[in-house]
Amino acid sequence: MKYSASKENHLKSIFHLQHEQGLVTTNALAAALQTRPASVTDMLKKLKEQKLLHYERYKGFRLNNEGRKAAVQVIRKHRLWEYFLVKKLQFGWDEVHEIAEEMEHISSKELVDRLDAFLGYPATDPHGDPIPDSMGRFSQQKQLGLSGVPLNKPVRVSGIAQQTTEMLELLQYHHIHLGTRLEVKKKFPFDDSLEVKIGNRPPVAISAQVAKNILVKEEEK
Amino acid sequence: MKYSASKENHLKSIFHLQHEQGLVTTNALAAALQTRPASVTDMLKKLKEQKLLHYERYKGFRLNNEGRKAAVQVIRKHRLWEYFLVKKLQFGWDEVHEIAEEMEHISSKELVDRLDAFLGYPATDPHGDPIPDSMGRFSQQKQLGLSGVPLNKPVRVSGIAQQTTEMLELLQYHHIHLGTRLEVKKKFPFDDSLEVKIGNRPPVAISAQVAKNILVKEEEK
DNA sequence: AATAAAATTTAGACAAATCTAAAATTAAAA
DNA sequence: TTTTAATTTTAGATTTGTCTAAATTTTATT
């Protein structure tokens, strides 16, 4: 199945919204796509026609299996191209979104799978969001904030929630990057700050505010 | 300036046709684009409106400077992506055209220039067609058939005219690829076959039929 | 529960790109 | 040089995706 760029955009946004909301509303989708509620309604009819989602008028909507599959393929493409742009073409992590918005609509499945191989099957994009595999499966482990990690459990940085320049600068200073191994050695209940071992360095203090923005996954063996 | 995919396709095809024809005709363009003459006329009006070509009704048309510039940028993108697909993603030379037809419409100029750098500023695409540089300039040397090359002049393979599988297989056997250095050591007027030194190997015989399909350029120092 | 507000959908319009069928123009043949 | 044939253009329709304004339905408030 091949869908228009506009349909792919709708599917993708619905997918993201329904993770937060369950049932998605017309207004929410219109806001996410920077379009008008009336336009969303028009598109919903077409997507329902093509059996990509459940939708009853005035009642909200959510993707069915077909729709979810299509959405995930678009997300896969988007994230792989972002990874390519940053890792191979040296773009900054904050410059790639718009370009990837265009590239995600290139249709060849073969292309995407070869790109995946060329990049070494990356698990997350440059923002730390997981890249689904060729079958549409997301790596099952989920990200959690560093704040919620048990003491002495080895974890790996898999994403940064609030990507401000200041935040990035601070992380840079502490040598914390995507993929960096961390261990929480101590928690201070007074201000919820943490003492964290970063790679093999001596432990340093990390504020609660920063910690909750560092997303990690359990270390795979 | 940014143009729709359809407009870019029209500009690109006109560019190619006017190299062969000078003035381009409505029917010729319709055939090249697999569309209808009436549709071409419609588009011509729009492109003239945007001052991308000279056009008088019933009289034919050709790109002006603006139009040529736009067309060349599309061609540049197409050929760079083809090169990427073959050299980095291991596609066969005969599998990449359709995909590149889609990728050539990605708009970011920055992307194209970085891709160019990433690929090492290749001079020709996998079919041997020249890749214009960032300013839209084509490398000036032109390709000639191996048959027409003077004795003992070092040349480099820059393209293959008739890309049949059989032809490619034969070239593979002789270790002749894009970029291979060749020297014609002897010509046999009887059958117009050549004795050719390939890289540093001992010379081998190449038939006239094959030779005229091997496109080369004078070796740059 | 009645009414006001918010959300959603419909109706009708528009732009882009295409098409078919008919008309206009140019080129070729008798 | 007429007449015929081929090419090109126009006129009007269609599809996709969008919009505004008005109507409908749901939700929230008094």
Side-chain angles (χ1 to χ4, degrees):
Chain A
M1 305 303 111
K2 227 186 101 177
Y3 308 106
S4 71
S6 177
K7 279 179 186 165
E8 288 192 343
N9 285 334
H10 280 77
L11 294 171
K12 186 180 54 152
S13 285
I14 297 169
F15 181 91
H16 289 313
L17 287 171
Q18 75 185 17
H19 256 253
E20 299 160 14
Q21 302 191 4
L23 260 203
V24 183
T25 67
T26 303
N27 266 359
L29 184 51
L33 289 170
Q34 311 238 68
T35 181
R36 297 305 186 149
S39 310
V40 166
T41 302
D42 289 342
M43 185 57 86
L44 288 174
K45 285 192 217 154
K46 294 174 199 164
L47 294 176
K48 181 179 187 180
E49 182 71 27
Q50 277 172 86
K51 301 206 202 312
L52 293 166
L53 42 72
H54 302 289
Y55 165 53
E56 271 178 279
R57 59 206 230 305
Y58 294 107
K59 296 284 187 66
F61 45 92
R62 64 175 187 288
L63 298 179
N64 64 17
N65 224 62
E66 270 309 293
R68 197 162 27 243
K69 243 192 280 181
V72 168
Q73 286 312 312
V74 179
I75 289 164
R76 169 169 160 82
K77 286 188 278 180
H78 183 101
R79 293 181 180 170
L80 282 173
W81 284 120
E82 282 204 345
Y83 189 96
F84 169 75
L85 293 171
V86 169
K87 287 294 169 51
K88 300 292 183 178
L89 300 194
Q90 321 292 333
F91 277 98
W93 59 268
D94 54 341
E95 306 175 308
V96 296
H97 184 76
E98 266 192 78
I99 300 176
E101 284 292 300
E102 281 188 66
M103 303 195 81
E104 74 190 3
H105 302 298
I106 306 289
S107 58
S108 167
K109 172 103 170 95
E110 178 74 8
L111 169 62
V112 185
D113 291 343
R114 281 182 191 242
L115 177 67
D116 197 8
F118 174 64
L119 299 174
Y121 302 103
T124 64
D125 75 9
H127 304 284
D129 296 313
I131 300 175
D133 72 13
S134 179
M135 304 298 296
R137 291 175 299 235
F138 285 86
S139 146
Q140 211 36 308
Q141 293 171 285
K142 69 167 182 303
Q143 296 183 325
L144 48 166
L146 187 58
S147 332
V149 164
L151 289 184
N152 296 311
K153 184 179 214 32
V155 295
R156 209 171 267 277
V157 177
S158 60
I160 308 299
Q162 276 251 106
Q163 304 207 357
T164 62
T165 314
E166 296 74 24
M167 178 76 176
L168 271 273
E169 191 187 321
L170 194 151
L171 297 179
Q172 192 92 33
Y173 176 75
H174 284 306
H175 300 89
I176 296 176
H177 306 286
L178 272 187
T180 304
R181 263 189 66 144
L182 302 179
E183 250 174 79
V184 177
K185 304 309 283 184
K186 211 163 171 11
K187 299 188 184 189
F188 298 101
F190 173 64
D191 62 354
D192 292 317
S193 71
L194 309 174
E195 197 166 76
V196 179
K197 204 173 125 213
I198 299 166
N200 296 318
R201 285 165 224 281
V204 295
I206 298 287
S207 74
Q209 208 201 330
V210 170
K212 74 165 190 284
N213 285 306
I214 301 179
L215 305 176
V216 299
K217 288 181 181 172
E218 292 181 24
E219 172 69 313
E220 322 211 24
K221 331 106 298 301
Chain B
M1 306 303 111
K2 227 186 102 177
Y3 308 104
S4 71
S6 177
K7 279 179 185 165
E8 288 192 343
N9 284 335
H10 280 77
L11 293 171
K12 187 180 53 150
S13 285
I14 297 169
F15 181 90
H16 290 313
L17 287 172
Q18 75 185 16
H19 257 251
E20 299 161 14
Q21 301 191 5
L23 260 202
V24 184
T25 68
T26 302
N27 266 358
L29 184 52
L33 289 169
Q34 310 238 68
T35 182
R36 297 304 186 150
S39 310
V40 166
T41 303
D42 290 343
M43 185 57 87
L44 288 175
K45 286 191 217 155
K46 294 174 199 164
L47 295 175
K48 181 179 186 180
E49 182 71 26
Q50 277 173 85
K51 302 207 203 309
L52 293 165
L53 43 72
H54 301 289
Y55 165 52
E56 271 178 278
R57 60 204 229 306
Y58 293 108
K59 296 283 187 68
F61 44 92
R62 64 175 187 288
L63 299 178
N64 64 17
N65 224 63
E66 270 310 291
R68 196 160 31 240
K69 244 192 279 181
V72 168
Q73 286 311 312
V74 179
I75 289 165
R76 170 168 158 82
K77 287 188 277 181
H78 183 102
R79 293 181 180 169
L80 282 172
W81 283 119
E82 282 204 345
Y83 190 95
F84 169 76
L85 293 171
V86 169
K87 286 295 169 51
K88 300 291 182 178
L89 301 194
Q90 320 293 334
F91 276 97
W93 60 269
D94 54 341
E95 306 174 308
V96 295
H97 184 76
E98 267 192 77
I99 300 176
E101 284 291 301
E102 282 187 66
M103 303 194 81
E104 73 190 5
H105 301 298
I106 306 288
S107 58
S108 167
K109 172 102 169 97
E110 178 75 9
L111 169 62
V112 184
D113 291 343
R114 281 183 191 243
L115 177 66
D116 196 9
F118 174 64
L119 299 175
Y121 303 102
T124 64
D125 75 10
H127 305 284
D129 295 312
I131 301 175
D133 71 14
S134 180
M135 303 298 296
R137 289 175 299 234
F138 286 85
S139 145
Q140 211 35 309
Q141 294 171 286
K142 68 169 184 301
Q143 297 183 324
L144 49 165
L146 187 57
S147 333
V149 165
L151 288 184
N152 296 311
K153 183 179 216 31
V155 294
R156 211 170 265 278
V157 177
S158 60
I160 308 298
Q162 275 251 107
Q163 303 206 356
T164 62
T165 313
E166 295 75 23
M167 178 76 176
L168 271 274
E169 192 186 320
L170 194 151
L171 297 180
Q172 191 93 33
Y173 176 75
H174 284 307
H175 300 89
I176 296 176
H177 307 286
L178 272 189
T180 303
R181 262 189 66 145
L182 303 178
E183 251 175 78
V184 177
K185 305 308 284 183
K186 211 162 171 10
K187 300 187 184 188
F188 298 101
F190 173 63
D191 62 354
D192 290 317
S193 70
L194 309 174
E195 197 165 77
V196 179
K197 206 174 122 210
I198 299 167
N200 297 318
R201 284 164 224 281
V204 296
I206 299 287
S207 74
Q209 209 201 328
V210 170
K212 73 165 189 284
N213 285 307
I214 301 179
L215 305 176
V216 298
K217 288 183 182 171
E218 291 180 26
E219 172 68 313
E220 323 211 26
K221 340 88 311 298

